[in-house]
Amino acid sequence: MIKGFAVAAVLGSVLWAMSVEAQNTSFNNTLMPQPALITVKSGGLALTPQFTVAHYQDWRLDGAVRRFAARLKFQTALPIAAPPDASTPPTLIITVDGPGEAIQGPDENESYSLEVTPSGVRLHAATVVGAMRGLETLLQLVQPSGSGFILPAVSIQDAPRFRWRGLMIDVSRHFQPIDVIKRTLDGMAAVKLNVFHWHLSDDQGFRIESKVFPKLTDMGSDGLFYTQDQAREIVAYARERGIRVVPEFDIPGHALSWMVGYPELASGTGADYGGPYQIEREYGIFDPVMDPTRDSTYKFLDKFIGEMAEIFPDPYMHVGGDENNGVQWKANPRIQEFAKKHNLNDTAALQTYFNQQLLPILKKHGKRMIGWDEIFAPGLSKDAVIESWRGFESLAASAKAGYEGILAQPYYLDHIDSAERHYLADPVPVGTSLTPEEQARILGGEACMWSEHVSPRSIDSRIWPRTAAIAERLWSPQSVNNVDDMYRRLWVESLRLEAVGLTQLSAEDVGLRQLAGTAQIEALRVLASVLQPVGFDERYEMQHTSQLTPMDHLIDAVRPDPPSRHGMQVLVKAYLANHDQVARAELAAMFELWIAAGPKAQALMAAAPLLQDPAPRAQQLADLGAAGLEALQYLEKHEAAPAGWAQAKLAVIDQAAKPVGLVRFTVLEPLRDLVKAAGGE
Ligand code: ACM
């Protein structure tokens, strides 16, 4: 039975629904992530201006329904009518068994069922969090039909495959303001992610206020940090969306920013412990590391963790633990003597000693430890969770040794890989050697947004929409793995994510306008549509990036894995395999567009100081268009290209493959196939 059930006068009526069995309602499945089980029925529910909702009474669900209504209104432009009268049956009935965990953990029940029929919608969930997941699915079901919108008749039974579906954001290398975090949480909720892992401290900045240790931010943050009130606001905002916030304080290494104000934490020798320390501007691995031998280190951490535990209610606290090179430990005779006395033979053993002191502190403050691979060493308590940035093998090894773990590395967004590559990386791959019991220890995964190369303006396009593909990998059944279908839905999801406030598409135009100094950027848009940023390592090496490197160049405006990359592959494949004439026409139109845009883009770039480095891309665009068009012409005429033609065009492609101006073309491989085919290969 429905408990605490009331017609939602709070919402008023938003949209009203009417049954439309007769209407053409062929279902266009754009759901992302795909549900565990979906049955498509005939007909649907037409949305009209008097949609009413009755729901289980709960403050979080009130908010979720209000947001649902606002987004539905935005999506359909249907006006909000007066509140429903008691005689009108509700269109959407949400029943929930209970509010869910008081403090959400990995075991929260997120399952739900959704029945859309021509006469109404029923959403049922065990918890409010499950109901929120179902509301997101419902919004994704809305589709155009004639001059209006419908909800197609479907029956959905859904539950996540993995319990831990996260997104990590590093706010140390580059601080990300509260607004960025909030819109990111909205995007996460839209694709059913449930953990926001907040990497709050690293060598390059300490980003949360401590009242106990004020010098952490006074001296270690450049004034860029969250107040405790702001952090609480984020925790509440996330909870309202069924998202946990796991804070990370990366120790004992990657902790230089702590030592700027508190050098006594460091392991260096001399009066100032190897300091004085400055906020690190460069990127990489640095020597300063906390001193594991002193009681004062643990007293400090006890107070600090206690303070943070009051702000972050999640059962887990992430202690980092990665990339400690041990240099300061090895260079300090007192620490070496301590290590010898305690039979700690190497850096890993000494770090495990540090973790062993840390565990009871975390426990005392009600937290379980999570850390990167490096904490996985002999002697570590089985209570700790391992986050693997070293990949499957490392994760599998810790699962075999009895530890719970989550997978991170194949989901590193800063590497600028394709959504496809992330999508096909499974935390428990088919054919895994893990036993069912060991597999159950793999809790899930996290997309990771390391922020060396992202600013508040570019971060959305680095996270989205690729993270939606990762979210599907972590939520949907393993058998949902068709890449073409993922991309088809991903581009739809990307539009929906902009509707919740993200800027991953619009930011490209904003960037191009700023770079070109004009609003007439059509030719640049054509060029940008086939470019993407170079990968992390390439950028780092070519630009020698640091925290001080400006991020307002073409590389920062263009998007990773834009639609052209996969789209061009599909078109060329269809044309070469089946002589598909629709594909041919699309390719020809695209090549003509490049040929026309090249000289115009060249003129714009010549006049723009910040577009000098990538300027050769404009001529290359026109040359690539010409190569493609000529290839199509030879292939259509079934005429072999003249001797030397293919070699000359392949040389053009090879030239274009170089990472000029920190950007790469997305279309070269299929273009190469086309040219080779025209050349008779
Ligand atoms: C890491 O990438 N060092 C966690």
Side-chain angles (χ1 to χ4, degrees):
M1 274 314 294
I2 303 169
K3 281 191 288 181
F5 185 85
V7 172
V10 46
L11 158 66
S13 68
V14 180
L15 297 166
W16 187 66
M18 192 178 78
S19 71
V20 277
E21 272 168 290
Q23 212 157 333
N24 174 13
T25 56
S26 66
F27 174 48
N28 178 22
N29 182 344
T30 63
L31 300 177
M32 183 162 254
Q34 283 289 291
L37 199 64
I38 177 165
T39 312
V40 181
K41 309 203 167 148
S42 68
L45 184 72
L47 296 170
T48 73
Q50 285 191 335
F51 191 98
T52 56
V53 185
H55 66 86
Y56 173 83
Q57 285 301 289
D58 172 273
W59 70 272
R60 277 200 296 175
L61 194 54
D62 286 347
V65 169
R66 220 177 284 121
R67 291 193 300 277
F68 166 84
R71 285 163 63 195
L72 194 56
K73 188 182 164 202
F74 181 77
Q75 217 171 336
T76 61
L78 287 166
I80 296 180
D85 60 55
S87 63
T88 325
T91 324
L92 166 59
I93 298 174
I94 306 172
T95 55
V96 174
D97 297 335
E101 296 174 325
I103 294 168
Q104 188 178 329
D107 295 329
E108 182 72 280
N109 187 333
E110 299 177 276
S111 66
Y112 68 92
S113 65
L114 192 57
E115 300 286 337
V116 182
T117 70
S119 57
V121 183
R122 282 184 171 269
L123 169 59
H124 178 75
T127 67
V128 165
V129 176
M132 291 196 267
R133 306 290 180 247
L135 284 172
E136 295 294 345
T137 303
L138 196 53
L139 282 168
Q140 293 184 351
L141 279 170
V142 174
Q143 59 181 75
S145 174
S147 60
F149 294 88
I150 60 150
L151 286 167
V154 290
S155 171
I156 288 173
Q157 306 289 326
D158 202 6
R161 177 170 168 225
F162 291 107
R163 292 178 278 169
W164 192 304
R165 305 178 309 282
L167 169 64
M168 185 222 69
I169 299 184
D170 161 18
V171 295
S172 175
R173 271 65 176 228
H174 283 99
F175 181 69
Q176 303 297 328
I178 283 288
D179 286 356
V180 171
I181 304 298
K182 284 188 175 171
R183 70 184 189 230
T184 304
L185 288 165
D186 287 329
M188 290 175 65
V191 296
K192 302 179 171 61
L193 291 175
N194 66 359
V195 180
F196 171 47
H197 166 177
W198 208 354
H199 185 86
L200 282 161
S201 72
D202 212 300
D203 301 313
Q204 292 82 358
F206 195 95
R207 303 296 183 201
I208 184 166
E209 174 191 26
S210 165
K211 296 186 203 282
V212 183
F213 301 108
K215 284 189 284 183
L216 286 170
T217 52
D218 283 355
M219 299 178 73
S221 78
D222 296 309
L224 297 170
F225 64 94
Y226 309 100
T227 64
Q228 295 195 355
D229 284 347
Q230 286 176 321
R232 287 198 173 90
E233 189 183 327
I234 289 299
V235 169
Y237 194 90
R239 172 153 177 86
E240 285 164 24
R241 287 154 183 77
I243 298 171
R244 301 164 44 206
V245 178
V246 175
E248 177 182 352
F249 303 101
D250 202 347
I251 52 176
H254 278 293
L256 215 164
S257 64
W258 304 57
M259 296 155 190
V260 184
Y262 299 95
E264 63 273 25
L265 289 170
S267 301
T269 53
D272 51 7
Y273 308 92
Y277 295 98
Q278 307 291 329
I279 296 172
E280 183 58 64
R281 305 301 173 190
E282 298 288 317
Y283 299 142
I285 299 173
F286 303 96
D287 299 343
V289 57
M290 287 186 180
D291 188 333
T293 67
R294 284 205 194 91
D295 282 348
S296 55
T297 303
Y298 302 107
K299 289 207 170 93
F300 185 109
L301 289 172
D302 184 11
K303 283 190 197 154
F304 177 76
I305 288 167
E307 186 183 16
M308 292 300 123
E310 293 289 312
I311 300 168
F312 298 102
D314 198 84
Y316 290 80
M317 190 173 280
H318 203 304
V319 297
D322 56 320
E323 298 182 315
N324 164 21
N325 65 14
V327 168
Q328 270 197 345
W329 288 352
K330 287 177 202 142
N332 185 326
R334 190 180 45 76
I335 292 177
Q336 283 308 302
E337 200 177 311
F338 178 94
K340 211 162 145 192
K341 196 169 127 203
H342 289 80
N343 245 340
L344 304 166
N345 296 327
D346 55 18
T347 297
L350 196 48
Q351 186 161 334
T352 299
Y353 171 85
F354 173 80
N355 288 332
Q356 281 162 345
Q357 313 312 302
L358 204 54
L359 264 166
I361 297 175
L362 287 169
K363 207 169 255 172
K364 176 174 130 190
H365 297 294
K367 303 296 177 197
R368 279 183 68 180
M369 178 188 285
I370 172 165
W372 300 104
D373 297 75
E374 289 91 332
I375 72 163
F376 169 45
L380 180 73
S381 158
K382 291 285 191 306
D383 198 40
V385 173
I386 314 294
E387 174 158 21
S388 179
W389 70 279
R390 292 178 171 166
F392 299 114
E393 300 301 322
S394 179
L395 183 67
S398 57
K400 281 184 179 160
Y403 295 89
E404 290 184 326
I406 59 178
L407 185 64
Q409 168 72 265
Y411 311 126
Y412 267 27
L413 300 166
D414 56 317
H415 288 187
I416 317 292
D417 282 331
S418 65
E420 168 175 358
R421 195 161 167 171
H422 295 310
Y423 189 62
L424 295 177
D426 197 304
V428 185
V430 172
T432 177
S433 63
L434 297 181
T435 65
E437 192 188 353
E438 290 160 355
Q439 288 179 37
R441 295 192 189 118
I442 312 283
L443 303 178
E446 283 187 352
C448 291
M449 185 73 266
W450 297 104
S451 69
E452 281 92 339
H453 297 158
V454 296
S455 73
R457 281 205 279 196
S458 63
I459 192 168
D460 289 3
S461 78
R462 273 51 182 167
I463 297 178
W464 308 106
R466 291 179 300 158
T467 292
I470 297 168
E472 174 157 293
R473 174 54 47 239
L474 298 174
W475 177 283
S476 304
Q478 187 167 36
S479 58
V480 177
N481 59 11
N482 181 311
V483 169
D484 291 346
D485 194 60
M486 178 275 285
Y487 274 115
R488 178 186 67 78
R489 291 176 291 111
L490 190 69
W491 308 134
V492 179
E493 183 53 31
S494 192
L495 297 183
R496 290 192 290 241
L497 289 166
E498 282 216 321
V500 303
L502 291 159
T503 65
Q504 76 278 5
L505 303 176
S506 59
E508 180 171 286
D509 279 0
V510 174
L512 296 180
R513 282 192 289 269
Q514 297 305 313
L515 289 164
T518 169
Q520 311 307 313
I521 53 164
E522 286 71 17
L524 274 182
R525 296 179 87 200
V526 173
L527 176 59
S529 75
V530 292
L531 293 176
Q532 66 173 340
V534 295
F536 181 95
D537 291 344
E538 281 176 304
R539 181 174 196 171
Y540 178 74
E541 279 155 29
M542 284 187 237
Q543 237 184 340
H544 190 87
T545 47
S546 76
Q547 196 179 41
L548 308 177
T549 306
M551 288 187 290
D552 50 7
H553 287 72
L554 188 59
I555 181 174
D556 304 296
V558 296
R559 297 176 272 154
D561 197 18
S564 60
R565 193 196 63 82
H566 179 254
M568 180 83 173
Q569 279 178 9
V570 169
L571 287 176
V572 168
K573 206 162 119 192
Y575 178 65
L576 290 180
N578 310 319
H579 221 71
D580 184 315
Q581 286 303 300
V582 175
R584 186 202 57 77
E586 277 190 46
L587 286 168
M590 191 154 64
F591 296 144
E592 278 162 10
L593 199 59
W594 298 358
I595 293 168
K600 292 179 191 156
Q602 199 164 28
L604 283 168
M605 294 170 99
L610 295 184
L611 290 172
Q612 297 304 298
D613 287 348
R617 293 312 196 185
Q619 180 63 50
Q620 289 172 340
L621 178 71
D623 294 345
L624 294 172
L629 205 57
E630 285 169 37
L632 282 181
Q633 284 158 358
Y634 289 124
L635 287 162
E636 276 303 291
K637 284 190 275 184
H638 301 285
E639 183 183 290
W645 176 87
Q647 284 85 337
K649 297 303 168 188
L650 290 173
V652 167
I653 294 173
D654 287 343
Q655 190 61 26
K658 297 185 176 152
V660 172
L662 301 173
V663 288
R664 283 193 180 280
F665 281 108
T666 56
V667 291
L668 299 183
E669 287 319 306
L671 197 58
R672 211 185 287 277
D673 292 343
L674 201 62
V675 165
K676 282 186 184 165
E681 277 188 46

